[in-house]
């Protein structure tokens, strides 16, 4: 069912997908100053990027997805784990792959709240991706 709901988003061309959300402090059509390679999609709202020669775990802001069923998760006491967590991981992986150049990993720009880097309670960098 979730796949059917998300199908219209996956059908968008990368340029259309980028138009779904333009942060208010970034003028429409403005390319990011720097882009970073997405090295891994953890789930629907967490990815790893390569930045400054280091791997960085990133929590996507403005995205809240189901949690995958696993033996342990930091939110396991407050947020239920469901089968849809795996579905959102697959969706996110396909979405990021769709913006990659052929033979390359996807690259994203980062937008930080208030223009400064912030980390969440689990040490993940909090950012919007553009």
């Amino acid at each position: 069912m979730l796949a059917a709901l998300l199908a219209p988003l996956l059908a968008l061309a990368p340029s259309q997908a980028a138009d779904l959300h333009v942060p208010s402090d970034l003028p429409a059509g403005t390319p990011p100053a720097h882009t970073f390679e997405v090295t891994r999609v953890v789930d629907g709202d967490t990815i790893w990027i390569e930045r400054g020669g280091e791997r960085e775990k990133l929590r996507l802001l403005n995205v809240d997805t189901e949690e995958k069923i696993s033996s342990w998760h930091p939110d396991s006491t407050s947020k239920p784990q469901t089968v849809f967590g795996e579905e959102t991981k697959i969706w996110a992986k396909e979405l990021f792959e769709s913006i990659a150049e052929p033979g390359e990993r996807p690259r994203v720009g980062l937008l930080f709240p208030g223009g400064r880097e912030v980390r969440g309670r689990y040490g993940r960098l909090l950012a919007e991706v553009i």
Side-chain angles (χ1 to χ4, degrees), residues 67 72-81 121-122:
E67 298 300 326
W72 181 86
H73 188 278
D75 287 332
S76 62
T77 59
S78 63
K79 194 169 181 183
Q81 300 173 24
R121 62 182 172 176
Y122 302 115

Side-chain angles (χ1 to χ4, degrees), residues 15 18-19 21-35 108-111 128-130:
S15 60
D19 291 337
H21 173 69
V22 176
S24 60
D25 53 348
L26 187 69
T30 302
H34 303 284
T35 60
V108 295
L110 303 180
L111 185 66
E128 293 182 24
V129 295
I130 50 175

Side-chain angles (χ1 to χ4, degrees), residues 25 51 56 58-59 61 110-120 124-128:
D25 53 348
R51 187 170 78 137
E56 184 94 53
L58 180 78
R59 167 64 165 86
L61 292 177
L110 303 180
L111 185 66
F112 298 103
R116 62 183 181 83
E117 293 186 24
V118 176
R119 294 198 178 269
R124 297 176 293 185
L125 190 60
L126 305 177
E128 293 182 24

Side-chain angles (χ1 to χ4, degrees), residues 3-14 16-17 20 91 94-95 98:
L5 293 172
L6 297 175
L9 289 175
L10 291 175
L12 293 174
Q16 292 172 304
L20 290 176
W91 170 79
E94 289 175 354
L95 180 66
S98 76

